[in-house]
Coordinates of all heavy atoms in Angstrom, one line a residue:
P1 N 139.2 85.8 58.8 CA 140.7 85.8 58.7 C 141.3 84.8 59.7 O 140.8 84.5 60.7 CB 141.2 87.2 59.0 CG 140.0 87.9 59.6 CD 138.8 87.1 59.3
R2 N 142.4 84.4 59.3 CA 143.2 83.4 60.2 C 144.3 84.2 60.9 O 145.1 84.8 60.2 CB 143.7 82.3 59.3 CG 144.3 81.2 60.1 CD 144.7 80.1 59.1 NE 145.6 79.2 59.9 CZ 145.7 77.9 59.7 NH1 145.0 77.4 58.8 NH2 146.5 77.3 60.5
W3 N 144.4 84.0 62.1 CA 145.4 84.8 62.9 C 146.6 83.8 63.2 O 146.4 82.6 63.4 CB 144.8 85.2 64.3 CG 143.6 86.2 64.1 CD1 142.3 85.9 64.3 CD2 143.6 87.5 63.6 NE1 141.6 86.9 64.0 CE2 142.3 87.9 63.6 CE3 144.7 88.4 63.2 CZ2 142.0 89.2 63.2 CZ3 144.3 89.7 62.9 CH2 143.0 90.0 62.8
A4 N 147.7 84.3 63.3 CA 148.9 83.6 63.7 C 148.7 83.1 65.1 O 148.1 83.8 65.9 CB 150.2 84.4 63.6
N5 N 149.3 81.9 65.4 CA 149.1 81.4 66.7 C 150.2 82.0 67.7 O 151.1 81.2 68.1 CB 149.2 79.9 66.6 CG 148.8 79.2 68.0 OD1 148.2 79.9 68.9 ND2 149.2 77.9 68.1
R6 N 150.2 83.2 67.9 CA 151.1 83.9 68.7 C 150.4 84.9 69.6 O 149.5 85.7 69.1 CB 152.2 84.7 67.8 CG 153.2 85.4 68.6 CD 154.2 86.0 67.6 NE 155.0 85.0 66.9 CZ 154.9 84.7 65.6 NH1 154.0 85.4 64.8 NH2 155.5 83.8 65.0
E7 N 150.7 84.9 70.9 CA 150.1 85.9 71.8 C 151.1 86.6 72.5 O 152.1 86.1 73.0 CB 149.1 85.2 72.7 CG 148.0 84.5 72.0 CD 146.8 84.1 72.9 OE1 146.8 84.7 74.1 OE2 146.1 83.3 72.5
E8 N 150.9 87.9 72.7 CA 151.9 88.8 73.5 C 151.0 89.7 74.3 O 149.9 90.0 74.0 CB 152.8 89.5 72.6 CG 153.8 88.7 71.8 CD 154.8 89.4 71.0 OE1 155.0 90.6 71.3 OE2 155.5 88.8 70.3
T9 N 151.6 90.3 75.4 CA 151.0 91.3 76.2 C 151.7 92.6 76.1 O 153.0 92.5 76.3 CB 150.9 90.7 77.7 OG1 150.2 89.5 77.7 CG2 150.2 91.8 78.6
A10 N 151.0 93.6 75.9 CA 151.7 94.9 75.8 C 152.0 95.5 77.2 O 151.2 95.3 78.1 CB 150.8 95.9 75.0
T11 N 153.1 96.1 77.4 CA 153.5 96.7 78.6 C 153.4 98.2 78.4 O 154.3 98.7 77.6 CB 154.9 96.3 79.1 OG1 155.0 94.9 79.2 CG2 155.3 97.0 80.4
L12 N 152.4 98.9 79.0 CA 152.2 100.3 78.7 C 152.3 101.1 79.9 O 152.0 100.7 81.1 CB 150.8 100.5 78.1 CG 150.4 99.7 76.9 CD1 148.9 100.0 76.5 CD2 151.3 100.0 75.8
P13 N 152.9 102.3 79.8 CA 153.0 103.2 81.0 C 151.7 103.8 81.4 O 150.9 104.1 80.5 CB 154.0 104.3 80.5 CG 153.7 104.3 79.0 CD 153.4 102.9 78.6
V14 N 151.5 103.9 82.7 CA 150.3 104.6 83.2 C 150.7 106.0 83.6 O 151.7 106.2 84.3 CB 149.7 103.8 84.4 CG1 148.5 104.5 85.0 CG2 149.3 102.4 84.0
G15 N 149.9 107.0 83.2 CA 150.2 108.4 83.6 C 150.9 109.1 82.6 O 151.1 110.4 82.7
N16 N 151.5 108.5 81.6 CA 152.2 109.2 80.5 C 151.6 108.7 79.2 O 150.7 107.9 79.2 CB 153.7 108.8 80.5 CG 154.5 109.2 81.7 OD1 154.2 110.4 82.2 ND2 155.4 108.4 82.3
D17 N 152.1 109.3 78.1 CA 151.6 108.9 76.8 C 152.0 107.5 76.5 O 153.2 107.1 76.4 CB 152.2 109.8 75.7 CG 151.6 109.6 74.3 OD1 150.6 108.8 74.2 OD2 152.2 110.2 73.4
A18 N 150.9 106.6 76.4 CA 151.2 105.2 76.2 C 151.3 104.9 74.6 O 151.5 103.7 74.3 CB 150.1 104.3 76.9
R19 N 150.9 105.8 73.8 CA 150.9 105.6 72.4 C 152.2 105.0 71.8 O 152.1 104.0 71.1 CB 150.4 106.8 71.6 CG 150.4 106.7 70.1 CD 150.0 108.0 69.5 NE 150.2 107.9 68.1 CZ 151.3 108.2 67.4 NH1 152.3 108.6 68.2 NH2 151.4 108.0 66.2
P20 N 153.4 105.6 72.1 CA 154.6 105.0 71.5 C 154.8 103.6 71.9 O 155.1 102.7 71.0 CB 155.7 105.9 72.0 CG 155.0 107.2 72.4 CD 153.7 106.8 72.8
A21 N 154.5 103.2 73.1 CA 154.7 101.8 73.5 C 153.7 100.9 72.8 O 154.1 99.7 72.5 CB 154.6 101.7 75.1
L22 N 152.5 101.3 72.8 CA 151.4 100.5 72.1 C 151.7 100.4 70.7 O 151.7 99.2 70.1 CB 150.0 101.1 72.3 CG 148.9 100.4 71.7 CD1 148.8 99.0 72.1 CD2 147.6 101.2 71.9
Q23 N 152.1 101.4 70.0 CA 152.5 101.3 68.6 C 153.6 100.4 68.3 O 153.6 99.6 67.4 CB 152.7 102.7 68.0 CG 152.7 102.9 66.5 CD 151.2 102.6 66.0 OE1 150.4 103.3 66.2 NE2 151.1 101.4 65.3
E24 N 154.6 100.5 69.2 CA 155.8 99.6 69.0 C 155.4 98.2 69.2 O 155.8 97.3 68.4 CB 156.8 100.0 70.1 CG 158.1 99.2 69.9 CD 159.2 99.6 71.0 OE1 159.2 100.8 71.3 OE2 159.9 98.7 71.3
A25 N 154.5 97.9 70.1 CA 154.1 96.5 70.4 C 153.3 95.9 69.2 O 153.5 94.8 68.8 CB 153.3 96.4 71.7
I26 N 152.4 96.8 68.6 CA 151.7 96.4 67.4 C 152.6 96.1 66.3 O 152.5 95.1 65.6 CB 150.6 97.5 67.0 CG1 149.6 97.6 68.1 CG2 150.0 97.2 65.7 CD1 148.6 98.8 68.0
F27 N 153.5 97.0 66.0 CA 154.4 96.8 64.9 C 155.3 95.6 65.1 O 155.6 94.8 64.2 CB 155.3 98.1 64.7 CG 156.1 98.0 63.5 CD1 155.5 98.0 62.2 CD2 157.5 97.8 63.6 CE1 156.3 97.9 61.0 CE2 158.3 97.7 62.4 CZ 157.7 97.8 61.1
H28 N 155.8 95.4 66.3 CA 156.7 94.3 66.6 C 156.0 93.0 66.3 O 156.6 92.1 65.7 CB 157.1 94.3 68.1 CG 158.0 93.1 68.5 ND1 159.3 93.0 68.1 CD2 157.7 92.1 69.3 CE1 159.7 91.8 68.6 NE2 158.7 91.3 69.3
L29 N 154.7 92.8 66.7 CA 154.0 91.6 66.5 C 153.7 91.4 65.0 O 153.8 90.3 64.5 CB 152.7 91.6 67.3 CG 151.9 90.4 67.4 CD1 152.7 89.2 68.0 CD2 150.6 90.6 68.2
H30 N 153.4 92.5 64.3 CA 153.2 92.5 62.9 C 154.5 91.9 62.2 O 154.3 91.1 61.3 CB 152.8 93.8 62.4 CG 153.0 94.0 60.9 ND1 152.0 93.4 60.0 CD2 153.9 94.6 60.1 CE1 152.4 93.7 58.8 NE2 153.5 94.4 58.8
T31 N 155.6 92.4 62.5 CA 156.9 91.9 61.9 C 157.2 90.5 62.2 O 157.9 89.9 61.4 CB 158.1 92.8 62.2 OG1 158.3 92.8 63.6 CG2 157.9 94.3 61.8
R32 N 156.6 89.9 63.2 CA 156.8 88.5 63.5 C 155.7 87.7 63.0 O 155.6 86.5 63.3 CB 156.9 88.4 65.1 CG 158.1 89.1 65.6 CD 158.3 88.9 67.1 NE 158.3 87.5 67.5 CZ 157.7 87.0 68.6 NH1 156.9 87.8 69.3 NH2 157.8 85.8 68.8
G33 N 154.9 88.2 62.1 CA 153.9 87.3 61.4 C 152.5 87.6 62.0 O 151.6 86.9 61.6
G34 N 152.3 88.5 63.0 CA 151.0 88.8 63.5 C 150.7 87.9 64.7 O 151.5 87.1 65.2
G35 N 149.5 88.1 65.2 CA 149.0 87.3 66.4 C 148.1 88.2 67.2 O 147.5 89.2 66.7
R36 N 147.9 87.8 68.5 CA 147.0 88.5 69.3 C 147.7 89.3 70.3 O 148.6 88.8 71.1 CB 146.1 87.5 70.0 CG 145.0 88.1 70.9 CD 144.2 87.0 71.5 NE 142.9 87.7 72.0 CZ 141.9 87.0 72.3 NH1 141.8 85.7 72.1 NH2 140.9 87.6 72.9
L37 N 147.5 90.6 70.4 CA 148.1 91.5 71.4 C 147.2 91.8 72.5 O 146.1 92.5 72.2 CB 148.6 92.8 70.7 CG 149.4 93.8 71.5 CD1 150.7 93.2 72.1 CD2 149.7 95.1 70.8
H38 N 147.5 91.4 73.7 CA 146.7 91.7 74.8 C 147.1 93.0 75.5 O 148.3 93.3 75.7 CB 146.8 90.6 75.9 CG 146.4 89.3 75.5 ND1 145.1 88.8 75.6 CD2 147.1 88.3 74.9 CE1 145.0 87.7 75.1 NE2 146.2 87.3 74.7
V39 N 146.1 93.9 75.8 CA 146.3 95.1 76.5 C 145.7 94.9 77.9 O 144.5 94.8 77.9 CB 145.8 96.4 75.8 CG1 146.1 97.6 76.6 CG2 146.4 96.5 74.4
P40 N 146.5 94.9 79.0 CA 145.9 94.6 80.3 C 144.9 95.7 80.8 O 145.0 96.9 80.3 CB 147.1 94.4 81.2 CG 148.2 95.1 80.5 CD 147.9 95.1 79.1
A41 N 144.2 95.4 81.8 CA 143.3 96.4 82.4 C 144.1 97.6 83.0 O 145.2 97.4 83.4 CB 142.5 95.8 83.6
G42 N 143.5 98.7 82.8 CA 144.2 100.0 83.3 C 143.7 101.1 82.4 O 143.0 101.0 81.4
E43 N 144.1 102.3 82.7 CA 143.7 103.5 82.0 C 145.0 104.1 81.4 O 145.9 104.3 82.1 CB 143.0 104.5 82.9 CG 141.7 104.1 83.5 CD 141.0 105.1 84.3 OE1 141.4 106.3 84.2 OE2 140.0 104.8 84.9
Y44 N 144.9 104.1 80.1 CA 146.1 104.6 79.3 C 145.8 105.8 78.4 O 144.8 105.8 77.7 CB 146.6 103.4 78.4 CG 146.8 102.1 79.1 CD1 145.9 101.1 79.1 CD2 148.0 102.0 79.9 CE1 146.1 99.9 79.8 CE2 148.2 100.8 80.6 CZ 147.2 99.8 80.5 OH 147.4 98.6 81.2
D45 N 146.7 106.8 78.6 CA 146.5 108.1 77.8 C 147.2 107.9 76.5 O 148.4 107.4 76.4 CB 147.1 109.2 78.5 CG 146.3 109.6 79.8 OD1 145.1 109.4 79.8 OD2 146.9 110.0 80.8
L46 N 146.6 108.3 75.4 CA 147.2 108.2 74.0 C 147.1 109.6 73.4 O 146.0 110.2 73.3 CB 146.4 107.2 73.2 CG 146.3 105.7 73.7 CD1 145.4 104.9 72.8 CD2 147.7 105.2 73.7
H47 N 148.3 110.1 73.1 CA 148.3 111.5 72.5 C 148.5 111.3 70.9 O 149.6 111.6 70.5 CB 149.5 112.2 73.1 CG 149.3 112.5 74.5 ND1 149.7 113.6 75.2 CD2 148.8 111.8 75.5 CE1 149.4 113.6 76.5 NE2 148.8 112.4 76.7
G48 N 147.5 110.9 70.3 CA 147.6 110.7 68.9 C 147.0 109.4 68.4 O 146.5 108.6 69.3
P49 N 146.9 109.2 67.1 CA 146.2 108.0 66.6 C 147.2 106.7 66.7 O 148.3 106.8 66.9 CB 146.0 108.3 65.1 CG 147.2 109.2 64.8 CD 147.4 110.0 66.1
I50 N 146.5 105.6 66.7 CA 147.3 104.4 66.6 C 147.1 103.8 65.3 O 146.0 103.9 64.7 CB 146.9 103.3 67.7 CG1 145.4 103.0 67.7 CG2 147.3 103.8 69.1 CD1 145.0 101.9 68.6
R51 N 148.1 103.1 64.8 CA 148.0 102.5 63.4 C 147.9 101.0 63.7 O 148.9 100.4 64.3 CB 149.1 102.9 62.6 CG 149.1 102.2 61.2 CD 150.3 102.7 60.4 NE 150.1 102.0 59.0 CZ 151.0 102.1 58.1 NH1 152.1 102.9 58.3 NH2 150.8 101.5 57.0
L52 N 146.9 100.3 63.2 CA 146.8 98.9 63.2 C 147.4 98.2 62.0 O 147.2 98.7 60.9 CB 145.4 98.4 63.5 CG 144.6 98.9 64.7 CD1 143.2 98.5 64.7 CD2 145.4 98.5 65.9
W53 N 148.2 97.2 62.2 CA 148.9 96.5 61.1 C 148.3 95.2 60.8 O 147.6 94.6 61.7 CB 150.4 96.4 61.4 CG 151.2 97.6 61.4 CD1 151.2 98.5 62.4 CD2 152.0 98.2 60.4 NE1 152.0 99.5 62.1 CE2 152.5 99.4 60.8 CE3 152.3 97.7 59.1 CZ2 153.4 100.1 60.1 CZ3 153.2 98.4 58.3 CH2 153.7 99.7 58.8
S54 N 148.3 94.8 59.6 CA 147.7 93.5 59.2 C 148.2 92.4 60.0 O 149.4 92.4 60.4 CB 147.8 93.2 57.7 OG 149.2 93.0 57.4
G55 N 147.3 91.4 60.3 CA 147.7 90.2 61.1 C 147.7 90.4 62.6 O 148.0 89.5 63.3
V56 N 147.4 91.6 63.1 CA 147.4 91.8 64.5 C 146.0 92.0 65.0 O 145.2 92.8 64.6 CB 148.2 93.1 64.8 CG1 148.2 93.4 66.4 CG2 149.7 93.0 64.4
N57 N 145.7 91.1 66.0 CA 144.4 91.2 66.7 C 144.6 91.9 68.0 O 145.2 91.3 68.9 CB 143.9 89.8 66.9 CG 142.6 89.7 67.6 OD1 142.0 90.6 68.0 ND2 142.1 88.4 67.7
L58 N 144.0 93.1 68.1 CA 144.2 93.9 69.4 C 143.1 93.5 70.3 O 141.9 93.7 70.0 CB 144.2 95.4 69.0 CG 144.4 96.4 70.1 CD1 145.9 96.2 70.7 CD2 144.3 97.8 69.6
H59 N 143.5 93.0 71.5 CA 142.5 92.5 72.5 C 142.7 93.4 73.7 O 143.7 93.3 74.4 CB 142.7 91.1 72.8 CG 141.8 90.5 73.8 ND1 140.5 90.2 73.6 CD2 142.0 90.3 75.1 CE1 139.9 89.8 74.7 NE2 140.8 89.9 75.7
L60 N 141.6 94.1 74.1 CA 141.6 94.9 75.3 C 140.9 94.1 76.4 O 139.7 93.6 76.3 CB 140.8 96.2 75.1 CG 141.3 97.1 73.9 CD1 140.5 98.4 73.8 CD2 142.7 97.4 74.0
A61 N 141.7 94.0 77.5 CA 141.1 93.2 78.7 C 139.9 94.0 79.2 O 139.9 95.2 79.1 CB 142.2 93.0 79.7
E62 N 139.1 93.3 80.0 CA 138.0 94.0 80.8 C 138.7 95.0 81.7 O 139.6 94.6 82.4 CB 137.2 93.0 81.5 CG 136.0 93.6 82.1 CD 135.0 92.6 82.7 OE1 135.1 91.4 82.3 OE2 134.3 92.9 83.6
G63 N 138.2 96.2 81.7 CA 138.7 97.2 82.6 C 139.8 98.0 81.9 O 140.4 98.8 82.5
C64 N 140.1 97.8 80.6 CA 141.1 98.6 79.9 C 140.4 99.8 79.3 O 139.3 99.6 78.7 CB 141.7 97.7 78.8 SG 142.9 98.6 77.8
L65 N 141.0 100.9 79.4 CA 140.5 102.2 78.9 C 141.6 102.8 78.1 O 142.6 103.2 78.7 CB 139.9 103.1 79.9 CG 139.4 104.4 79.5 CD1 138.2 104.3 78.6 CD2 139.1 105.3 80.6
L66 N 141.4 103.0 76.8 CA 142.3 103.8 76.0 C 141.7 105.2 75.9 O 140.7 105.3 75.2 CB 142.6 103.2 74.6 CG 143.1 101.8 74.6 CD1 143.3 101.3 73.1 CD2 144.4 101.7 75.3
R67 N 142.4 106.2 76.5 CA 141.8 107.6 76.5 C 142.6 108.4 75.5 O 143.8 108.7 75.8 CB 141.9 108.1 77.9 CG 141.2 109.4 78.1 CD 141.2 109.9 79.5 NE 142.2 109.4 80.4 CZ 142.1 108.7 81.5 NH1 140.8 108.4 81.9 NH2 143.1 108.3 82.2
F68 N 142.0 108.8 74.4 CA 142.7 109.6 73.4 C 142.6 111.0 73.8 O 141.6 111.5 74.4 CB 142.1 109.4 72.0 CG 142.4 108.0 71.5 CD1 141.5 107.0 71.7 CD2 143.5 107.9 70.7 CE1 141.8 105.7 71.2 CE2 143.7 106.6 70.1 CZ 142.9 105.5 70.4
S69 N 143.7 111.8 73.5 CA 143.7 113.2 73.9 C 142.6 114.0 73.2 O 142.2 113.6 72.1 CB 145.1 113.8 73.7 OG 145.2 114.1 72.3
G70 N 142.1 115.1 73.7 CA 141.1 115.9 73.0 C 141.8 117.1 72.3 O 141.2 118.0 72.0
H71 N 143.0 116.9 72.0 CA 143.8 118.0 71.4 C 144.0 117.7 69.9 O 144.8 116.9 69.5 CB 145.2 118.0 72.1 CG 146.0 119.2 71.8 ND1 147.3 119.2 71.4 CD2 145.7 120.5 71.9 CE1 147.7 120.4 71.1 NE2 146.8 121.2 71.4
P72 N 143.2 118.3 69.0 CA 143.2 118.0 67.6 C 144.5 117.9 66.9 O 144.8 117.1 66.1 CB 142.3 119.1 67.0 CG 141.3 119.4 68.1 CD 142.2 119.3 69.3
P73 N 145.5 118.9 67.3 CA 146.8 118.8 66.6 C 147.6 117.5 66.8 O 148.4 117.1 66.0 CB 147.6 119.9 67.2 CG 146.6 120.9 67.6 CD 145.4 120.1 68.0
D74 N 147.2 116.7 67.9 CA 147.8 115.4 68.1 C 147.5 114.4 66.9 O 148.2 113.4 66.8 CB 147.3 114.8 69.4 CG 147.9 115.5 70.6 OD1 148.9 116.2 70.5 OD2 147.4 115.2 71.7
F75 N 146.4 114.7 66.2 CA 146.0 113.8 65.2 C 146.2 114.2 63.7 O 145.7 113.7 62.8 CB 144.5 113.5 65.4 CG 144.2 112.9 66.8 CD1 143.9 113.7 67.9 CD2 144.3 111.5 66.9 CE1 143.8 113.2 69.1 CE2 144.1 111.0 68.2 CZ 143.8 111.8 69.3
L76 N 147.1 115.2 63.6 CA 147.4 115.8 62.3 C 148.7 115.1 61.8 O 149.5 114.6 62.5 CB 147.6 117.3 62.3 CG 146.4 118.1 62.7 CD1 146.8 119.6 62.7 CD2 145.3 117.9 61.6
P77 N 148.8 114.9 60.5 CA 147.9 115.3 59.4 C 146.7 114.4 59.2 O 146.8 113.2 59.6 CB 148.8 115.3 58.1 CG 149.7 114.2 58.4 CD 150.0 114.2 59.9
P78 N 145.6 114.9 58.7 CA 144.4 114.0 58.5 C 144.8 112.9 57.5 O 145.6 113.1 56.6 CB 143.3 114.9 57.9 CG 144.1 116.1 57.4 CD 145.3 116.2 58.2
V79 N 144.1 111.8 57.6 CA 144.4 110.6 56.8 C 143.1 110.4 56.0 O 142.0 110.2 56.7 CB 144.9 109.4 57.6 CG1 145.0 108.2 56.6 CG2 146.1 109.7 58.3
A80 N 143.1 110.3 54.7 CA 141.9 110.0 53.9 C 141.6 108.5 54.1 O 142.4 107.6 54.2 CB 142.2 110.3 52.4
Q81 N 140.3 108.2 54.3 CA 139.8 106.9 54.6 C 138.7 106.5 53.6 O 138.0 107.3 53.1 CB 139.2 106.8 56.0 CG 140.2 107.1 57.1 CD 141.3 106.0 57.2 OE1 141.0 104.8 57.1 NE2 142.6 106.4 57.3
R82 N 138.7 105.2 53.3 CA 137.6 104.7 52.6 C 137.0 103.6 53.3 O 137.6 102.7 54.0 CB 138.2 104.0 51.2 CG 138.6 105.1 50.3 CD 139.1 104.5 49.0 NE 138.6 103.2 48.7 CZ 139.0 102.4 47.7 NH1 140.0 102.8 47.0 NH2 138.6 101.2 47.5
W83 N 135.6 103.4 53.2 CA 134.9 102.4 53.9 C 134.4 101.3 53.0 O 134.0 101.5 52.0 CB 133.7 103.0 54.7 CG 134.2 104.0 55.7 CD1 134.3 105.3 55.6 CD2 134.7 103.7 57.1 NE1 134.7 105.9 56.8 CE2 135.0 104.9 57.7 CE3 134.9 102.5 57.7 CZ2 135.6 105.0 59.0 CZ3 135.4 102.6 59.1 CH2 135.7 103.8 59.6

């Protein structure tokens, strides 16, 4: 695939749920035609799934850890997937 020549860096909170900020950054880049979204080094807690949109290349820097909650209700409703 061909990626748009646009790069942005996500600003995520540490110690709180970073999912809303990450999801907003992904969607914002998608609405501008896509590109590469950098997530800087750090440990980020996510309380639920993230949705990747077309045209967005999610790039995690070395030392970046996305830690999803172990609380199953955070991930409801289930989404049917095809591979």
